[in-house]
Amino acid sequence: MTLLSEPKQEKAVGVKRRGRSFKPRYPTWLALPALVYEVIFFLGALGILVAFSFATQTGFSQITYGFSLDQYKAVFDPLYLSIFFRTLMMAAIGTILTVMVGYPVAYWMARYLSTYKLLAVLLIMVPFWTSFLIRTYALKIILDSQGFLAKTFGLDIMYTPIAVGIGLVYNYLPLFVLPVFGSLERMDWTLIEAATDLTARPLRAFWDITFRLTLPGIVTGALLVFIPMTGEYVIPAILSGGKYEFVGNLIGDTFNTAQNPPFGSALAIMLMVALSVFVVIYIAVATKEERFGA
Amino acid sequence: MTLAPGDVAFDVEFRGITKRFGPLVAVNRVDLQVNKGEFLSLLGPSGCGKTTSLRMIAGFEQPDEGELLIGGTDAVGVPPYRRNVNTVFQSYALFPHMSVIDNVAYGLKQRGTGKAERIRLSGEALELVQLTGRQDHRPSMLSGGQQQRVALARALVMHPQVLLLDEPLGALDLKLRKEMQVELKRIQEQVGITFIYVTHDQEEALSMSDRVAVMSNGVIEQLDEPRVIYDNPRTSFVAEFIGDMNFLSGVVTEKVGGQFIVDAGGGVVIRGHGAASRGSSVRVGIRPERMTALPGSPEQQANSAKATVLSKMYLGDQIQISVSLANGQRIIVREQRASANPVLDVVYSGDEVLVSWDDKAPLLLEQTVPLQSSAEAEQYTPSEEAAVHASTEES
Ligand SMILES: Nc1ncnc2c1ncn2[C@@H]1O[C@H](COP(=O)(O)OP(=O)(O)OP(=O)(O)O)[C@@H](O)[C@H]1O
Ligand SMILES: [Mg+2]
């Protein structure tokens, strides 16, 4: 009996040992530093915002915490709604322009460059090596009514929505190009040959195949630029001279100039709610990307 | 377009086509005529220009020189979407975001075929390749063999004049490959479309094709029926590439009627059929299965040689020995095990054997005629000596 059962036991032990070595472990602690950071600085700040937004302000900076919807009601003032609308519109236009400028260059890099591909990626990222603020001021020098464009071509577009649009596209372009480039890099170009082989004209083949397969990348890139564009503060402040305020400028003014944190918080949270809609779209498309794998 | 119908004898014709990639000549002044309805294979080692040739027919590459005719019409400069030619890609190149039926119907849709008709024709094509009930699956949900069938159906549904297949079975395992070879041949016979089939697998090319073009370094070395390619390779390259071949080199010592005698040195004398001129250096090939080995070492004569067994291998249905001839050359000899008493069963490493072959086995491959032999009567001392040597041994 013992003789028979012993090897069996040994085998079982062997299996267990082998099983353990292959079992993926989850060293949760690796996520800990980021978790601590996010809890303190993101959730903490968010908590403060939420608390502020339900508070009321009596007198001058006398905040009474509670559960009041007054701040939210105040957001639905036509004046503020128009700023929300303008922000979303400008961000949407800026995103569309970014797609139109960024997609062709990403396509060119992915399809036609080989030796200089990496160099091109580096060049796309070069603007990131300088501070965002400095770049925007530099742009101001070019767009200024005394600047290069105005003097050479008579294009005085400083302090117009066009200037803001140019600033948005310029500053966010790399953020769009990189994910789309990644998506185009994974493109199997024989699919295009297959499509033209099946008598599709080049533009048709692009639309049916390349565009469809890189759509998830385009959506990722577009959201990656759209979301921070809606929260933009520096570009409208510098390039529109405060004439075309974004919600970000409004929030800044409410906190700093008007000294009204409860209302500023309500504005910030409403902006987040508006953006959540787009994030939901993003997740829907991102899961679709996994299914296609391209 | 101005050609008379009688002139259009070939579905595809290459006239001195050259294709370069920078300094590299991928296809070098190739002439090729593909008959209507035939199954033609382009066979050759990696990098010999098979895919490039195919891509020029498809229109993905344009030749640098020469004329390319498809159905008798000049096709140079015609884009792929205006050619009545379709391709089955090695990687299948199925559209991952479309269902099987949408993949198959894609070409018809581009042509403007109505939806109902599209679905009917695509369904038929899928039936032809024996893939039904998978119409709404995405390609990624299919096995390699099934994806292969979709790729085939997608091209066949277009009813092209010529179907181009670039190593379509390359990604399949051996068993599936064999199955698909039979399947492809059946489909080709059923639809009657000209197939141009690229492969580097000689067995595949020989078993499926009506004709095989053996390519090497951008040129077609030989274009013939499979049987002729195997039995009568015209160049050393073809002889070496197709099947296994033993090579023996020597000088032609005698030439009588259609026969030649070659002294390969070390007492190895080869007699065979072919037009060799006396005194020229030749390379002769003999297939391992055309040789026999007998134990012991009886008296030597032409087409038989003393040899020492170096090693022995069992290859399933065959036995193969590697031997060293008296002139130091190594050759291989193969015997079917189907025979009742395989001789090689009782032959072992180190044994002395007598290797022999009949005078139809040697294939004359390369011939270098020395300058002085242009005058036939001219004496050529080494060969004269060898001839004497050979004849004394024969008597
Ligand atoms: N687009 C290209 N650019 C540069 N060189 C190329 C290109 N396409 C092919 N070549 C070269 O041309 C030669 C022939 O290539 P080809 O693809 O026709 O070979 P092949 O016979 O199909 O080989 P394989 O069996 O490996 O597919 C090779 O040396 C290859 O490196
Ligand atoms: Mg190839």
Side-chain angles (χ1 to χ4, degrees), chain A residues 189-223:
Chain A
W189 299 107
T190 51
L191 296 179
I192 293 301
E193 289 188 341
T196 48
D197 192 65
L198 295 163
T199 73
R201 304 291 182 273
L203 211 62
R204 180 88 246 162
F206 167 78
W207 189 252
D208 284 351
I209 314 298
T210 315
F211 182 74
R212 286 300 150 82
L213 289 175
T214 52
L215 192 57
I218 297 172
V219 172
T220 304
L223 276 163

Side-chain angles (χ1 to χ4, degrees), chain B residues 317-375:
Chain B
D317 57 345
Q318 293 173 324
I319 307 175
Q320 174 180 307
I321 55 167
S322 165
V323 302
S324 165
L325 296 180
N327 62 3
Q329 197 167 355
R330 285 162 150 236
I331 58 172
I332 51 175
V333 178
R334 220 175 264 158
E335 186 183 15
Q336 283 292 330
R337 294 182 71 199
S339 63
N341 285 311
V343 177
L344 297 185
D345 248 1
V346 292
V347 163
Y348 303 98
S349 291
D351 284 5
E352 288 274 300
V353 290
L354 188 75
V355 175
S356 57
W357 56 89
D358 66 58
D359 59 7
K360 291 210 182 66
L363 302 164
L364 192 63
L365 294 170
E366 270 168 35
Q367 194 170 175
T368 332
V369 183
L371 284 173
Q372 61 260 54
S373 84
S374 49

Side-chain angles (χ1 to χ4, degrees), chain B residues 50-51 166-167 198:
Chain B
K50 307 180 296 283
T51 298
D166 192 356
E167 306 203 24
V198 161

Side-chain angles (χ1 to χ4, degrees), chain B residues 21 24 26 44-53 61 166-167 198 200:
Chain B
F21 293 108
L24 184 129
S46 187
C48 71
K50 307 180 296 283
T51 298
T52 306
S53 303
E61 306 280 1
D166 192 356
E167 306 203 24
V198 161
H200 60 247

